[in-house]
């Protein structure tokens, strides 16, 4: 990695409105547009079909998570974290509880750590499957891949429902552990779902990995150099697709991830295809973690009995906790003034920060490629706008 | 992995004009932070990023904190000379915090796998003197996050390439994440309000449905 | 109206009789095309409803149209923020009559868990009329299907003539509603006073 990085944000000066500017076309894609992921808007300036400038516009789903979090107790914020990245409520729970545990110095029993890893990896599986489905939908494969992905997702959601009572908004983890223990037949059911997953990944790859349209539309499109990715704070599969080996499960070793053998898949080119394929490989690694964790899950309590959930008042101070969420580094920064509510409740959203380089990726490509690039970044607007 | 004191002394040696201060964090997380003065913030940040042994190449999180003016009394131990040596006595002291806005940066090093190093920058007050240098030229990841701090807290970042509101619309005048922001009164509160919520609900009812 | 017994007798002979009204409503209620439009979490459950497991196509409603000109139904699936509200109203105005609205989830009904947020609209019915409300956060796909069936029943019960005919057959009733604009502190106006008035509350302790 070179220390010298181009750090000034490149800006294109638009030609004045008179004279030759007539050929340039300004188009607002979104907030209602079939291929923006949610209520996201891109103000693009086009030269023919090529993108000259692209400005993302946010805030159409700004639901004031942070303001609400500062007005309620630590426990009451947990259901709100579900609604950040609404595909991955369990990893959001984990990031928040990790920050609170750091703030108050709580410990988590071994069984609860196992359950957290199992649910987080299942979340990662269904997130990446849906990402691949949506990306291919954006590329024109209308319906079929997304249906395959959602078929797989429903199996995992059934497991979540059996465990937590809800399909999407699980509200499951608590600081110091988890809310309830696994139901009786849950581990065998989960083993069955996990055992079926590699067949789904194979099927998906056979269908698509050598598809000529997919290759033509994604290879060499939207390449992200590693130095820029690091400087722009890109995290998660998008960073690793650019070849930077930085996975918080290995770096921070939070939870009990160091007990499990798994690899960190890396891309070489950082283009749309690598971003897609790194996620497919990550799903296979998640299956490995799940197989190990489900085989060795120990008995024991699921929550530290000393934890006070209600009336929880940590001492004054601050803490930043972060985990490797499916979309990147999800962090929570909490400042406590000793009261029942956090004084400051900040969410570090990977989806928002991964969009920093969207303009750099799209410039010079066509509008249709911008749609594919946005699909490969993998954003969820609940987390971008919060 | 360097300790915060080592980093601080290296920075002071390289940038003699920098005024740095370690802010202790009493929580079990042990994440202490480094307060940097406004004038040398960019130089400090550049050194942190480019220094071969530090290489904080990744700025993870940028956020604002609104501190209202506060006054509190705390007990301190003072050593007082008495006959035949010193004696510790307890005295109460009034501590004062002026109103200001603070911006917190969480830095990590991807190359050396270390962090977090927490930088804090403070404005002079919450109104006229709310300018801070932008660190976007050092870390591109600050671009949207500093815009967010500008939008919601009203900190003006000098040197930011594109400082506009990010979440609220451009015509919006307030800074909603500030502690003294009053939101529009446009909803019914709880079905069974009490205490201050009841006062709020009564006020809410008055114009439309006097009872 | 035809006698029900005669109608059933004729049906046994292979003669089907119906009224123009019920034929018209039968056709419309079985080909509701929703607007392809999702706002937040509920949109994911809406997508799940259209997928293989729940299969909204059984109700003739799988054709999600990206253009409001081609859509009959707007599913407001998720939190409407104040920044998004003008666009939602504009999309509604651009839809052709007859048009229907399902408010999906707690946020679209009342602001839901985000009710106290400064940028959250406390219910889409402050600006546009809503035909079916589905509670839930998010509602399950079954709940959305139930909302569909409720809407189908509503359409089936519509009378084409007379004083109780629906809005789209009464030219004097509005089919477009004013779009709010962004103000200094809030939307201007914060609600459409012709559409929505705050419910009068009486409390014993107030």
């Amino acid at each position: 990695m070179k220390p010298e990085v181009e750090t000034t944000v490149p800006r294109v000066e638009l030609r004045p409105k008179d004279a030759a500017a007539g050929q340039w076309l300004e188009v607002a894609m979104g907030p209602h547009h079939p291929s923006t992921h949610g209520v996201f808007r891109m103000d693009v300036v086009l030269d023919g079909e090529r993108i000259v400038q692209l400005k993302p516009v946010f805030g159409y789903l700004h639901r004031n998570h942070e303001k609400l979090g500062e007005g309620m107790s630590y426990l009451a914020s947990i259901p709100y974290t579900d609604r950040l990245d609404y595909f991955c409520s369990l990893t959001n729970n984990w990031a928040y509880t990790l920050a609170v545990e750091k703030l108050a110095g709580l410990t988590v029993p071994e069984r609860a750590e196992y359950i957290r890893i199992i649910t987080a990896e299942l979340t990662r599986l269904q997130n990446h499957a849906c990402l691949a489905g949506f990306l291919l939908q954006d590329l024109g494969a209308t319906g079929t891949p997304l249906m395959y992905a959602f078929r797989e997702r429903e199996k995992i959601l059934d497991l979540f429902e059996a465990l937590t009572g809800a399909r999407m908004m699980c509200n499951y983890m608590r600081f110091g552990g988890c809310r309830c223990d696994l139901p009786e037949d849950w581990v065998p059911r989960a083993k069955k779902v996990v055992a079926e997953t590699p067949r789904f990944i194979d099927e998906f790859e056979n269908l698509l990995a050598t598809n000529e349209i997919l290759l033509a539309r994604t290879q060499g499109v939207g390449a992200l150099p590693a130095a820029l990715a690091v400087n722009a704070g890109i995290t998660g599969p998008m960073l690793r697709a650019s070849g930077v080996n930085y996975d918080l499960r290995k770096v921070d070793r939070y939870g009990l991830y160091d007990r499990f053998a798994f690899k960190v898949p890396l891309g070489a080119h950082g283009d749309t295809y690598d971003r897609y394929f790194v996620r497919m490989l990550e799903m296979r690694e998640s299956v490995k973690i799940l197989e190990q964790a489900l085989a060795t899950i120990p008995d024991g309590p699921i929550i530290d009995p000393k934890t006070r959930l209600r009336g929880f008042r940590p001492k004054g101070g601050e803490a930043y906790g972060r985990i490797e969420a499916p979309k990147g580094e999800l962090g929570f920064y909490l400042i406590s003034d000793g009261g029942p509510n956090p004084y400051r409740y900040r969410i570090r959203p990977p989806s928002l920060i991964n969009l920093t380089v969207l303009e750099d990726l799209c410039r010079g490509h066509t509008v249709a490629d911008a749609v594919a690039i946005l699909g490969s970044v993998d954003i969820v607007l609940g987390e971008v706008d919060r | 992995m360097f300790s915060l004191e080592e980093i601080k002394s290296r920075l002071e040696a390289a940038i003699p004009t920098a005024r740095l201060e370690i802010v202790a964090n009493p929580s079990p997380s042990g994440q202490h932070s480094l307060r940097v003065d406004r004038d040398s913030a960019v130089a400090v940040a550049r050194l942190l990023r480019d220094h071969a042994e530090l290489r904080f190449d990744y700025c993870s999180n940028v956020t604002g904190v609104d501190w209202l003016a506060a006054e509190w009394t705390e007990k301190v131990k003072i050593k007082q000379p008495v006959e035949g040596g010193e004696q510790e006595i307890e005295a109460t002291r009034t501590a004062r915090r002026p109103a200001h806005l603070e911006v917190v940066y969480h830095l990590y090093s991807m190359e050396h796998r270390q962090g977090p190093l927490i930088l804090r920058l403070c404005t002079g007050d919450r109104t006229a003197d709310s300018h801070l240098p932008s660190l976007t030229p050092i870390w591109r990841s600050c671009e949207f996050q500093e815009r967010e701090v500008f939008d919601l807290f009203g900190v003006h970042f000098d040197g930011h390439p594109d400082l506009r509101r990010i979440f609220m619309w451009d015509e919006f005048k307030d800074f909603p994440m500030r502690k003294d922001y009053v939101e529009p009164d446009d909803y019914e509160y709880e079905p069974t309000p009490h205490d201050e919520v009841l006062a709020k609900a009564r006020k809410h009812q008055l114009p439309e449905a006097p009872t | 109206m035809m006698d029900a017994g005669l109608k059933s007798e004729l049906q046994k002979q292979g003669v089907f009789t119906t009224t123009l009204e019920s034929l018209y409503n039968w056709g419309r209620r079985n080909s509701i095309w929703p607007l392809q439009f999702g706002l937040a979490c509920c949109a994911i459950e809406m997508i799940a409803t259209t997928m293989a497991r729940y299969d909204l196509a059984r109700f003739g409603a799988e054709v999600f149209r990206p253009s409001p000109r081609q859509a009959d139904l707007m599913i407001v699936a998720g939190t409407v923020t104040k920044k998004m509200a003008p666009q939602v109203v504009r999309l509604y105005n651009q839809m052709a009559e007859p048009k229907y609205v399902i408010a999906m989830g707690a946020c679209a009904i009342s602001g839901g868990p985000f009710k106290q947020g400064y940028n959250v609209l406390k219910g889409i019915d402050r600006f546009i009329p809503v035909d079916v409300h589905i509670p839930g956060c998010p509602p399950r796909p079954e709940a959305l299907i139930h909302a569909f069936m409720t809407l189908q029943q509503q359409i089936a019960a519509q009378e084409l003539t007379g004083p109780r005919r629906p809005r789209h057959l009464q030219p004097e009733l509005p089919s477009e509603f004013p779009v709010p604009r962004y103000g200094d502190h809030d939307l201007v106006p914060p609600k459409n006073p012709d559409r929505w008035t705050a419910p009068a509350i009486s409390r014993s302790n107030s």
Side-chain angles (χ1 to χ4, degrees):
Chain A
M1 224 183 304
K2 283 186 305 184
E4 292 79 24
V5 183
E6 181 56 52
T7 55
T8 51
V9 183
R11 295 289 150 195
V12 182
E13 282 301 314
L14 291 186
R15 278 177 276 174
K17 285 243 182 266
D18 53 16
Q23 301 162 1
W24 292 36
L25 184 67
E26 287 180 42
V27 180
M29 284 175 73
H32 164 68
H33 185 275
S35 50
T36 53
H37 290 224
V39 282
F40 176 62
R41 181 170 132 205
M42 296 185 279
D43 281 351
V44 287
V45 176
L46 301 174
D47 181 6
E49 215 185 336
R50 302 270 152 200
I51 291 172
V52 180
Q53 192 192 53
L54 185 149
K55 289 261 178 267
V57 181
F58 309 101
Y60 292 102
L61 193 54
H62 179 48
R63 301 192 279 195
N64 331 121
H65 274 275
E66 293 184 4
K67 188 81 180 175
L68 295 177
E70 287 170 16
M72 60 180 68
S73 67
Y74 288 86
L75 178 65
S77 285
I78 295 177
Y80 282 84
T81 63
D82 288 340
R83 287 153 181 84
L84 278 174
D85 171 358
Y86 31 77
F87 271 103
C88 314
S89 61
L90 286 157
T91 48
N92 300 343
N93 285 177
W94 195 358
Y96 174 65
T97 49
L98 190 78
V100 179
E101 280 151 14
K102 280 193 175 178
L103 183 68
L106 301 174
T107 53
V108 182
E110 197 183 4
R111 182 173 172 86
E113 293 278 25
Y114 268 77
I115 298 176
R116 286 180 177 193
I117 286 175
I118 291 166
T119 51
E121 293 306 318
L122 284 171
T123 305
R124 200 181 311 278
L125 274 182
Q126 56 100 2
N127 177 76
H128 286 357
C130 290
L131 164 102
F134 280 118
L135 174 63
L136 291 152
Q137 171 110 345
D138 288 347
L139 287 171
T142 319
T144 314
L146 193 60
M147 288 235 184
Y148 278 36
F150 266 73
R151 182 193 65 195
E152 208 57 29
R153 179 172 184 262
E154 290 290 341
K155 292 181 194 165
I156 293 171
L157 291 195
D158 281 351
L159 290 176
F160 289 167
E161 197 178 349
L163 176 58
T164 71
R167 283 157 53 84
M168 281 172 70
M169 306 305 177
C170 296
N171 181 16
Y172 178 63
M173 290 175 200
R174 294 287 181 270
F175 20 94
C178 298
R179 175 158 56 92
C180 51
D181 208 344
L182 299 175
E184 227 166 68
D185 61 336
W186 198 85
V187 171
R189 280 178 64 188
K191 277 182 181 163
K192 190 161 166 280
V193 170
V194 170
E196 284 168 4
T197 309
R199 215 179 66 198
F200 157 73
I201 305 172
D202 289 342
E203 185 187 24
F204 213 77
E205 279 184 9
N206 285 341
L207 195 66
L208 295 158
T210 54
N211 181 303
E212 227 174 290
I213 301 174
L214 177 76
L215 299 183
R217 287 290 307 279
T218 56
Q219 287 196 333
V221 173
L224 175 64
L228 177 64
V230 172
N231 191 257
I234 308 301
T235 43
M238 191 174 167
L239 175 73
R240 294 190 285 275
S242 293
V244 182
N245 185 355
Y246 194 74
D247 186 325
L248 297 184
R249 291 175 291 176
K250 296 275 190 191
V251 175
D252 277 13
R253 298 165 176 276
Y254 63 93
L256 297 172
Y257 271 113
D258 46 359
R259 291 197 188 173
F260 303 110
F262 68 103
K263 289 185 208 141
V264 180
L266 295 179
H269 310 95
D271 55 6
T272 306
Y273 185 77
D274 279 16
R275 284 194 283 276
Y276 157 72
F277 214 84
V278 159
R279 288 180 170 103
M280 299 306 284
L281 295 173
E282 272 192 10
M283 286 170 72
R284 293 189 189 275
E285 298 303 321
S286 289
V287 170
K288 279 190 208 164
I289 299 174
L290 280 167
E291 280 168 350
Q292 298 169 51
L294 286 168
T296 57
I297 181 165
D299 283 332
I302 49 142
I303 191 159
D304 187 352
K306 281 177 293 184
T307 313
R308 280 191 63 199
L309 294 175
R310 288 171 200 282
F312 178 72
R313 281 167 176 262
K315 274 183 275 175
E318 62 173 56
Y320 179 67
R322 55 176 196 164
I323 66 156
E324 183 72 33
K327 298 195 164 56
E329 175 187 324
L330 176 65
F332 278 81
Y333 173 60
L334 301 167
I335 299 181
S336 162
D337 59 355
N341 306 348
Y343 185 81
R344 179 79 182 99
Y345 169 85
R346 152 80 180 168
I347 304 148
R348 190 260 184 211
S351 294
L352 174 70
I353 297 162
N354 286 358
L355 285 174
T356 307
V357 292
L358 185 67
E359 183 174 13
D360 305 59
L361 298 184
C362 292
R363 197 181 294 123
H365 291 292
T366 62
V367 181
D369 287 338
V371 169
I373 291 168
L374 181 69
S376 73
V377 173
D378 191 12
I379 59 164
V380 159
L381 261 290
E383 191 178 77
V384 172
D385 291 342
R386 282 160 291 132
Chain B
M1 187 73 200
F2 295 97
S3 72
L4 200 57
E5 285 79 15
E6 287 168 343
I7 293 173
K8 178 170 176 263
S9 55
R10 272 159 198 262
L11 287 170
E12 277 169 341
I15 308 168
T17 56
R19 296 192 305 281
L20 307 173
E21 184 193 343
I22 290 178
V23 183
N25 177 4
S27 106
S29 70
Q31 294 171 342
H32 308 294
S33 47
L34 195 63
R35 185 174 293 143
V36 185
D37 67 300
R38 284 188 265 181
D39 301 324
S40 53
V42 176
V44 167
R46 179 166 290 123
L47 189 77
L48 284 173
R49 186 193 67 181
D50 294 338
H51 192 287
E53 286 175 340
L54 300 176
R55 291 288 292 133
F56 284 97
D57 48 6
Y58 165 44
C59 176
S60 166
N61 180 36
V62 182
T63 186
V65 188
D66 181 20
W67 297 102
L68 296 174
E71 230 182 55
W72 67 95
T73 51
E74 55 187 14
K75 285 203 171 119
V76 281
K77 284 187 177 157
I78 302 174
K79 281 186 181 163
Q80 221 177 31
V82 286
E83 281 174 54
E86 277 187 338
Q87 190 190 8
E88 267 194 5
I89 59 156
E90 278 203 345
T92 51
R93 187 182 70 172
T94 312
R96 194 168 284 125
R97 181 180 70 202
H100 66 280
L101 299 164
E102 186 176 52
V103 179
V104 186
Y105 294 80
H106 283 78
L107 311 179
Y108 286 88
S109 170
M110 281 197 189
E111 198 171 304
H112 298 319
R113 302 270 169 107
Q114 59 174 346
L117 174 65
I118 305 167
L119 298 185
R120 310 181 93 92
L121 304 181
C122 292
T123 63
D125 60 25
R126 298 168 74 245
T127 48
D129 189 17
S130 59
H131 286 255
L132 286 178
S134 168
L135 298 189
T136 305
I138 313 293
W139 294 286
R140 182 83 189 276
S141 55
C142 303
E143 188 184 347
F144 288 161
Q145 301 189 71
E146 284 185 345
R147 269 179 74 185
E148 186 184 330
V149 175
F150 165 70
D151 185 359
L152 304 180
F153 288 92
V155 179
H156 295 261
F157 290 95
D158 302 322
H160 191 285
D162 187 23
L163 194 67
R164 289 177 293 134
R165 286 201 176 259
I166 185 169
F167 289 145
M168 303 307 286
W169 50 87
D170 292 336
E171 295 88 344
F172 198 70
K173 293 273 189 298
D174 305 328
F175 301 113
M177 279 302 287
R178 288 195 179 184
K179 291 283 176 189
D180 52 0
Y181 169 73
V182 182
E183 65 198 17
D185 178 27
D186 59 355
Y187 64 94
E188 165 60 22
Y189 296 88
E190 300 166 20
T192 53
H194 49 84
D195 303 338
E196 74 264 38
V197 186
L198 179 62
K200 235 177 173 179
R202 279 207 182 115
K203 218 171 114 209
H204 171 82
Q205 273 177 300
L206 280 177
E208 282 191 347
T211 46
Chain C
M1 273 308 260
M2 196 174 206
D3 178 54
L6 176 63
K7 194 172 167 180
S8 123
E9 194 60 37
L10 280 170
Q11 245 174 39
K12 284 176 193 155
Q13 307 297 324
V15 181
F16 288 87
T17 57
T18 182
T19 59
L20 190 61
E21 186 176 277
S22 44
L23 182 69
Y24 176 73
N25 286 342
W26 173 81
R28 281 197 308 121
R29 75 168 191 261
N30 286 307
S31 64
I32 303 169
W33 288 5
L35 182 63
Q36 183 180 1
F37 162 70
L39 292 170
C41 333
C42 293
I44 307 304
E45 286 296 60
M46 184 178 81
I47 295 168
T49 315
T50 63
M51 291 297 149
R53 189 181 196 179
Y54 297 99
D55 196 14
L56 199 60
R58 291 176 293 158
F59 300 87
E62 83 281 18
V63 194
F64 275 77
R65 304 308 299 179
S67 161
R69 303 285 185 202
Q70 301 165 342
D72 309 307
L73 168 68
M74 175 187 256
I75 304 175
V76 184
T79 316
V80 188
T81 60
K82 288 178 180 168
K83 193 168 179 178
M84 190 64 196
Q87 278 77 314
V88 176
V89 178
R90 198 168 286 130
L91 284 170
Y92 179 80
N93 288 348
Q94 287 172 352
M95 284 164 64
E97 287 279 12
K99 53 188 172 186
Y100 306 97
V101 176
I102 291 179
M104 181 179 183
C107 292
I109 296 173
S110 69
F114 300 99
K115 189 173 84 169
Q116 293 165 28
Y118 50 85
N119 190 30
V120 175
L121 186 72
K122 284 83 186 174
I124 189 61
D125 51 4
R126 295 189 176 207
F127 287 109
I128 58 175
V130 176
D131 297 276
V132 184
H133 296 84
I134 334 171
C137 190
R140 296 178 58 92
E142 291 92 333
L144 183 59
I145 290 174
H146 182 255
F148 254 96
M149 291 160 66
T150 309
L151 185 65
Q152 286 184 331
Q153 284 162 10
Q154 285 183 7
I155 294 174
Q158 282 181 354
E159 296 173 5
L160 298 188
T161 52
R164 288 178 59 219
R165 63 194 194 279
R167 189 188 64 221
H168 68 274
L169 295 174
Q170 300 191 37
E172 67 279 8
L173 291 185
S175 76
E176 293 188 5
F177 294 92
V179 180
R181 64 178 178 81
Y182 297 137
D184 291 349
H185 308 286
D186 199 353
L187 287 177
V188 184
K191 60 175 187 279
N192 183 347
D194 301 335
R195 271 282 336 128
W196 190 85
T197 46
I201 313 148
S202 62
R203 286 200 179 89
S204 54
N205 58 356
S206 64

